[in-house]
Amino acid sequence: MKTALRRLARRYQALDEETNEADKEIGPLVTKAAPRLIALPGRSRNRRQLLTSAGDNPDRLRSEPAFAHLCGAAPTPASSGRTNRHRLNRGGDRQANHALHTIVLVRMKYDQRTRDYVARRTAEGMTKKDVIRCLKRFVARETTDTYPT
């Protein structure tokens, strides 16, 4: 058991070093490709995921709504009867959607403007889930504005 754990720890350390080396190589390329994207608040891993999703699907980036749909952050009507509401599209690139979700959670915790927005929308009667949906769309919009054309 100790031998297996020791081997596993060595593999983890080697992979961690390899990941750090790859980050050092990729970092300047990402900065060169989308410098305004790097300036946005959030973890660099999430920003790189969004850049990767955009790069994998350049034909789908005609507009900001198209990128939001690609990331699964486009609102879909979910109304019935007298209720009028929306939900997020469940399709799209799940990793990009996860990156948007993580960016939103980080902003909800550390960004004062986002916290003020959450408080205002909650006071208006929106649920936390709906506020996160709106914030995901905002981050997708903000992200799309940073890509080079």
Side-chain angles (χ1 to χ4, degrees), residues 77-128:
S79 304
S80 65
R82 286 188 240 166
T83 59
N84 183 16
R85 62 183 203 85
H86 293 82
R87 66 173 178 81
L88 286 179
N89 181 354
R90 299 199 191 281
D93 186 342
R94 303 312 306 156
Q95 287 145 347
N97 188 286
H98 179 69
L100 286 177
H101 188 77
T102 305
I103 290 170
V104 165
L105 292 181
V106 167
R107 286 186 180 188
M108 286 174 70
K109 186 169 184 174
Y110 296 108
D111 185 34
Q112 187 60 44
R113 292 180 310 146
T114 305
R115 288 191 298 205
D116 294 342
Y117 177 81
V118 170
R120 187 182 83 225
R121 297 297 282 202
T122 305
E124 292 174 0
M126 289 183 81
T127 65
K128 185 177 178 183

Side-chain angles (χ1 to χ4, degrees), residues 124-141:
E124 292 174 0
M126 289 183 81
T127 65
K128 185 177 178 183
K129 191 176 185 179
D130 288 336
V131 173
I132 289 174
R133 176 186 54 79
C134 293
L135 286 169
K136 278 184 177 183
R137 181 61 186 258
F138 176 76
V139 171
R141 183 177 302 120

Side-chain angles (χ1 to χ4, degrees), residues 8-54:
L8 187 60
R10 276 192 232 121
R11 282 178 58 195
Y12 172 80
Q13 288 173 338
L15 289 173
D16 191 44
E17 287 177 28
E18 187 177 335
T19 303
N20 290 337
E21 289 173 14
D23 284 344
K24 288 177 187 175
E25 293 172 5
I26 292 172
L29 298 173
V30 171
T31 303
K32 185 179 178 183
R36 293 188 318 187
L37 179 64
I38 299 302
L40 295 176
R43 295 176 56 194
S44 62
R45 178 180 300 147
N46 297 320
R47 293 185 302 243
R48 282 194 301 255
Q49 177 58 51
L50 293 176
L51 188 62
T52 301
S53 296

